[in-house]
């Protein structure tokens, strides 16, 4: 374990900083209030033996502030961000993506090639990253829940910064 510190530049900046300071072939993310399932790596790593896979993403369960599961397999059972896997650009641009960083395992070289997270985004940075990955690499969907995604009323997804970021992201898309 290595502890790193930097001035607060937002979540995109923090993630990019972490990647710049790691040495692995693959990278994965875990936000402060989410939880990987204990067997996430056991489910994901065997698929990474296929060198054609540049990014793998999985399904997720949604939990509340107390850790209670409210939705099992949000993609497969509840159709969040449907369809999965994403097969065309319209699946990304005209529908919710619902692929958070904690669901992604990415070849580090691919992440660096697309220049990581856009540090101007502090919300929708995951959609932006997924779109740029979709356009430039091979993505594989594993329909297994490997993350407990925590959603509760006061979390960041509902903030003013998120709304500002949404406007920036839409301008970027246009």
């Amino acid at each position: 374990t290595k502890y790193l510190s930097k001035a607060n530049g937002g979540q995109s900046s923090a993630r990019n900083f972490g990647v710049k300071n790691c040495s692995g072939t693959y990278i994965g993310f875990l936000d402060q209030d989410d939880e990987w399932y204990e067997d996430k790596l056991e489910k994901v790593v065997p698929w990474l033996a296929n060198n054609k896979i540049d990014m793998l993403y999985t399904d997720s369960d949604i939990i509340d502030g107390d850790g209670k599961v409210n939705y099992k397999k949000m993609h497969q059972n509840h159709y969040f961000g449907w369809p999965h896997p994403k097969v065309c650009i319209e699946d990304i641009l005209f529908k919710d993506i619902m692929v958070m960083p904690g669901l992604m395992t990415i070849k580090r070289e691919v992440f660096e090639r697309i220049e990581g997270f856009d540090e101007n985004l502090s919300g929708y940075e995951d959609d932006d990253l997924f779109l740029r990955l979709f356009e430039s690499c091979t993505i594989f969907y594993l329909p297994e829940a490997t993350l407990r995604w925590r959603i509760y009323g006061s979390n960041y997804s509902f903030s003013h910064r998120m709304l500002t970021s949404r406007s920036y992201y839409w301008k970027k898309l246009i």
Side-chain angles (χ1 to χ4, degrees), residues 11-42:
Q11 57 201 23
S12 295
S13 173
R15 290 175 181 144
N16 289 341
F17 179 74
V19 172
K20 286 177 186 163
N21 286 281
C22 74
S23 59
T25 303
Y26 291 90
I27 53 174
F29 302 96
L30 182 61
D31 288 347
Q32 73 282 0
D33 54 354
D34 300 335
E35 303 169 356
W36 279 1
Y37 278 109
E38 298 78 19
D39 62 352
K40 175 184 173 120
L41 295 177
E42 291 174 29

Side-chain angles (χ1 to χ4, degrees), residues 57-73:
Y57 76 100
T58 67
D59 206 338
S60 176
D61 294 339
I62 298 176
I63 60 175
D64 64 18
D66 297 322
K68 178 184 168 230
V69 175
N70 291 327
Y71 297 94
K72 295 275 303 167
K73 296 183 95 176

Side-chain angles (χ1 to χ4, degrees), residues 106-142:
I106 309 166
K107 281 185 183 173
R108 182 178 169 182
E109 67 172 282
V110 171
F111 182 85
E112 291 171 343
R113 184 176 70 231
I114 66 164
E115 300 180 355
F117 287 97
D118 181 337
E119 294 186 14
N120 293 305
L121 288 166
S122 189
Y124 291 89
E125 76 287 343
D126 48 354
D127 291 1
D128 177 68
L129 179 73
F130 189 88
L131 174 61
R132 290 183 290 120
L133 287 165
F134 185 84
E135 293 177 315
S136 66
C137 71
T138 303
I139 296 176
F140 178 76
Y141 176 62
L142 179 63

Side-chain angles (χ1 to χ4, degrees), residues 58-99:
T58 67
D59 206 338
S60 176
D61 294 339
I62 298 176
I63 60 175
D64 64 18
D66 297 322
K68 178 184 168 230
V69 175
N70 291 327
Y71 297 94
K72 295 275 303 167
K73 296 183 95 176
M74 69 174 192
H75 296 157
Q76 296 302 303
N77 294 341
H78 301 283
Y79 308 106
F80 287 27
W82 195 256
H84 293 283
K86 304 294 186 188
V87 296
C88 64
I89 198 75
E90 289 81 9
D91 292 344
I92 297 166
L93 293 177
F94 301 116
K95 300 173 185 174
D96 287 333
I97 297 174
M98 299 301 287
V99 181

Side-chain angles (χ1 to χ4, degrees), residues 12 117-125 128 132 160-174:
S12 295
F117 287 97
D118 181 337
E119 294 186 14
N120 293 305
L121 288 166
S122 189
Y124 291 89
E125 76 287 343
D128 177 68
R132 290 183 290 120
H160 175 72
R161 287 179 66 187
M162 184 67 140
L163 296 174
T164 302
S165 198
R166 179 186 304 171
S167 296
Y168 175 86
Y169 179 59
W170 286 349
K171 289 175 186 173
K172 188 174 179 180
L173 288 175
I174 291 169

